[in-house]
Amino acid sequence: MASLNPLGSNLDLRLAKHLLRRATFNFTKSQLNTFVGMSATDAVNSLTAASANSLTEPYDPLPTSAPDGFWTSSSELPNSFSGQGRKRVHVTAWWWHNAMQQVTLKHKLSFFLHTSFTVGKDSGVGGATYFFDHINLLDFYALGNLKTLAKKITLDNGMLDYLDNTQNNKNNPNENYAREYLELFTILKGEQIGNDNYTNYTEIDIQQAAKVFSGFKKRADRSDIDPDTNIPMGYINVNQHDPNNKTFSSAFGDLIITGKNTAPEIFEELDDFVEMVFAQPETAKAYCRKLYRYFVKSEWDEEVETDIITPLAQILIDNNYEILPVVTTLLSSEHFYDADDSDATDNIIGSIIKSPLQLFSEVCSMFELDYPDPTTDAYRYYVNFFLRFIHNIYFKAAGMELYNPDSVAGYPAYYQEPGFDRNWFSSNTLIGRYKLIESLIEGKNTITSGNIYTQLDAVNFVKNNINNASDPNLLITEIADLLYPESIDTDRINYFKSFLVDEGFPDYYWTGTWNQFINNGDDTTVKTRLNALVIAMVNAAEFQLM
């Protein structure tokens, strides 16, 4: 039986890896060592501490003659700055660097919220400053309340632009935001049961929701500040809001929301609408299914639906949509660690294909990549490393437009049947995935061309992290134990050993080569062989899974 009971045993290396991969974007050997021996509950709880970002805002080092610098806190209007597309990339670079500085659920959940309340940073969110505010809003509620975020997101300037609600007026209704709010952001459709009628709502409900949202406008100068978050927000144009009562269908109990005609009362009207949507049990189940797919597995059976999804939804309801009680219960459970059954065919550990974001982040953290410091070398970090290589080349080649999915539905890996996370792999994305580690090892862009201003030091990684580096079998086993969800067998060890020891030669040839490096510091030979080994092990099928 699928079980949400807390895992009874303490975490070993295998389970610690599983937790850190699923719950964070980064982990190192030292972090793994910290988690080994902890109970699952204590380990998960240690990931929930909120801490301030190491970078408070992004920096634009261009134009070189007079950098726009910290433009998001400038008193100038957001659209007065040039290079808006570049600046939106700098916002993602700011977010990613912060994610790499902390071992916490915050950033993994922040990205989960992006997949749930999707905007495309280059397809309608507006100026880079509004995108920065949007990401800050997701970060603010990453460890907080889904229902409250579902209210706040409606007044988010980026969302108002992205789904056209800033154009939604009482005499000229625009239903785009209302439709996606119900279909994608909250309760979801359910099965279609009639013309313009779904299990969870009808077309009439979309029309009424659009009336609730009418008159909500983007504030271009960001002068309206949300008192709860201290983040800029939109405003209500009372004259463009529909003041009439809104009558919803039987899907919502034929509820009538009384129309209002003052700004404070219109906020109350919004609250009434969101409370109505979140009072439906299907809304809680929709979020829990998304969380399950994000953290556990893309597909599940009726047993999991009954024993995992349904009780998680009740936990969400009982906690008034606070996200942490659900996530901590799930990530501490026997089910998450695949300890609630003896079926070897439904393994959860190693069952998800890593996104390009997860793959890149894990390589950088595990191998302790010394990329340019955004606080002391802003141009090389924001422009050379992240914009020109990671964002423009690697992510696109690997099939992921970071924070810019093809549609408001988001990334196909999180919603599109039957492939789900298998959508990350195709003939078009393989080269980008496999060339990443080669580029980092060589210190240059091998997908196209150019300097990337960082280089992964495989020799230093092995010297500092592998206890038995002189024994090729133990060296490979230790690296595999850090990189892969499961242990590898003798055949795989022998395959990887071919990158260290030429065919037909005994193991002591590597031992002598390594000891010679330790004694005289000449890493010429070990560097060549370890670079080849790391490329092979990162590009192996085992590393593509988590």
Side-chain angles (χ1 to χ4, degrees):
M1 173 182 284
S3 170
L4 285 174
N5 291 331
L7 184 71
S9 59
N10 290 340
L11 300 182
D12 57 14
L13 178 61
R14 175 175 178 263
L15 300 184
K17 282 187 297 185
H18 176 59
L19 172 61
L20 283 168
R21 277 200 184 92
R22 299 290 179 94
T24 76
F25 285 114
N26 69 308
F27 65 93
T28 63
K29 181 182 179 182
S30 63
Q31 290 158 0
L32 277 173
N33 290 341
T34 299
F35 277 64
V36 170
M38 295 178 68
S39 71
T41 300
D42 288 344
V44 172
N45 287 339
S46 75
L47 297 173
T48 63
S51 56
N53 287 331
S54 60
L55 291 180
T56 56
E57 58 183 318
Y59 183 89
D60 188 355
L62 293 175
T64 52
S65 57
D68 288 336
F70 298 110
W71 85 95
T72 60
S73 57
S74 170
S75 59
E76 299 294 323
L77 283 172
N79 63 3
S80 67
F81 293 97
S82 61
Q84 290 291 338
R86 178 185 73 242
K87 285 177 169 62
R88 285 190 291 269
V89 177
H90 292 345
V91 172
T92 66
W94 159 84
W95 177 86
W96 180 80
H97 177 76
N98 284 326
M100 297 303 287
Q101 304 310 302
Q102 301 175 10
V103 184
T104 172
L105 267 163
K106 174 186 171 183
H107 303 286
K108 207 61 177 284
L109 281 170
S110 174
F111 199 78
F112 167 76
L113 294 177
H114 165 59
T115 69
S116 299
F117 297 92
T118 305
V119 303
K121 71 173 173 48
D122 299 317
S123 54
V125 78
T129 309
Y130 309 126
F131 177 57
F132 172 68
D133 294 338
H134 175 81
I135 297 301
N136 266 317
L137 185 64
L138 300 185
D139 275 5
F140 188 92
Y141 286 103
L143 303 175
N145 194 283
L146 283 167
K147 189 193 325 184
T148 304
L149 174 61
K151 296 175 184 177
K152 301 290 187 183
I153 204 78
T154 301
L155 271 294
D156 171 66
N157 284 313
M159 183 65 80
L160 283 163
D161 246 2
Y162 180 63
L163 288 177
D164 307 317
N165 202 69
T166 195
Q167 302 170 21
N168 179 19
N169 306 318
K170 64 181 180 182
N171 296 321
N172 187 24
N174 186 307
E175 297 176 359
N176 284 0
Y177 179 64
R179 182 174 303 280
E180 309 304 2
Y181 192 92
L182 294 175
E183 181 178 336
L184 299 174
F185 296 170
T186 57
I187 196 169
L188 311 187
K189 280 182 178 180
E191 296 295 323
Q192 186 165 0
I193 56 177
N195 189 34
D196 295 334
N197 185 3
Y198 302 96
T199 308
N200 297 335
Y201 62 84
T202 69
E203 285 294 314
I204 291 174
D205 296 317
I206 292 173
Q207 296 164 12
Q208 297 302 300
K211 294 178 181 180
V212 172
F213 296 141
S214 61
F216 290 21
K217 304 294 179 184
K218 183 180 83 170
R219 181 69 79 183
D221 65 3
R222 301 167 73 228
S223 58
D224 288 62
I225 305 297
D226 186 324
D228 298 323
T229 64
N230 204 36
I231 297 171
M233 59 182 282
Y235 71 101
I236 295 173
N237 184 321
V238 175
N239 293 328
Q240 295 186 6
H241 178 73
D242 189 326
N244 297 308
N245 292 349
K246 289 81 178 174
T247 303
F248 290 85
S249 74
S250 58
F252 295 103
D254 301 310
L255 185 71
I256 298 174
I257 293 179
T258 303
K260 305 292 175 62
N261 55 18
T262 68
E265 289 178 323
I266 293 169
F267 276 114
E268 292 176 4
E269 192 177 325
L270 172 63
D271 283 353
D272 290 343
F273 170 76
V274 174
E275 292 290 340
M276 176 191 76
V277 173
F278 279 73
Q280 311 306 311
E282 279 304 313
T283 300
K285 286 186 178 181
Y287 282 117
C288 289
R289 292 183 187 116
K290 287 182 178 182
L291 284 165
Y292 189 91
R293 182 167 290 122
Y294 188 76
F295 282 111
V296 185
K297 205 173 184 180
S298 293
E299 299 171 283
W300 56 91
D301 57 20
E302 283 302 317
E303 179 184 328
V304 170
E305 181 73 21
T306 300
D307 296 339
I308 303 297
I309 303 295
T310 299
L312 285 176
Q314 191 59 51
I315 292 172
L316 193 58
I317 292 168
D318 292 344
N319 287 276
N320 197 28
Y321 283 88
E322 289 289 330
I323 197 169
L324 276 184
V326 172
V327 174
T328 55
T329 297
L330 179 60
L331 299 187
S332 303
S333 69
E334 292 177 332
H335 182 70
F336 178 71
Y337 297 98
D338 214 8
D340 55 359
D341 65 54
S342 57
D343 185 351
T345 66
D346 70 342
N347 288 337
I348 287 169
I349 295 175
S351 65
I352 294 179
I353 294 174
K354 293 173 185 172
S355 71
L357 172 60
Q358 184 73 30
L359 186 79
F360 165 59
S361 301
E362 276 192 36
V363 168
C364 292
S365 59
M366 177 53 72
F367 289 101
E368 300 171 341
L369 182 72
D370 186 21
Y371 60 82
D373 187 333
T375 61
T376 60
D377 202 356
Y379 189 91
R380 285 188 172 180
Y381 173 70
Y382 283 104
V383 179
N384 289 330
F385 173 66
F386 202 92
L387 170 66
R388 292 178 179 168
F389 175 57
I390 298 305
H391 182 275
N392 289 357
I393 302 299
Y394 162 67
F395 275 125
K396 289 184 179 180
M400 185 181 199
E401 293 271 357
L402 186 60
Y403 279 103
N404 195 50
D406 290 340
S407 73
V408 67
Y411 307 96
Y414 300 116
Y415 74 87
Q416 192 172 86
E417 299 181 71
F420 294 113
D421 53 292
R422 293 185 290 278
N423 283 296
W424 293 127
F425 259 105
S426 73
S427 58
N428 294 325
T429 65
L430 285 177
I431 291 178
R433 290 179 78 99
Y434 290 158
K435 288 282 187 178
L436 171 67
I437 185 60
E438 181 182 294
S439 297
L440 294 176
I441 286 282
E442 295 191 17
K444 63 182 181 181
N445 172 7
T446 64
I447 302 172
T448 53
S449 64
N451 194 341
I452 63 174
Y453 295 91
T454 188
Q455 190 166 16
L456 191 155
D457 191 335
V459 176
N460 200 49
F461 166 75
V462 169
K463 183 179 178 181
N464 293 335
N465 293 279
I466 304 304
N467 296 324
N468 298 285
S470 64
D471 183 324
N473 300 287
L474 295 178
L475 183 153
I476 290 165
T477 300
E478 286 188 49
I479 295 178
D481 283 344
L482 294 175
L483 297 184
Y484 300 156
E486 304 286 7
S487 299
I488 58 175
D489 60 22
T490 302
D491 287 343
R492 291 299 278 165
I493 292 172
N494 287 335
Y495 166 72
F496 290 125
K497 191 165 60 174
S498 67
F499 294 94
L500 299 178
V501 181
D502 292 335
E503 186 177 357
F505 284 78
D507 291 354
Y508 63 72
Y509 273 79
W510 169 256
T511 304
T513 301
W514 180 259
N515 289 338
Q516 185 176 14
F517 156 66
I518 294 299
N519 291 330
N520 65 21
D522 183 358
D523 68 353
T524 304
T525 303
V526 296
K527 182 176 182 179
T528 299
R529 292 180 179 265
L530 285 175
N531 283 350
L533 174 67
V534 168
I535 290 172
M537 294 189 76
V538 168
N539 284 340
E542 292 94 334
F543 190 71
Q544 309 305 308
L545 301 172
M546 69 174 186

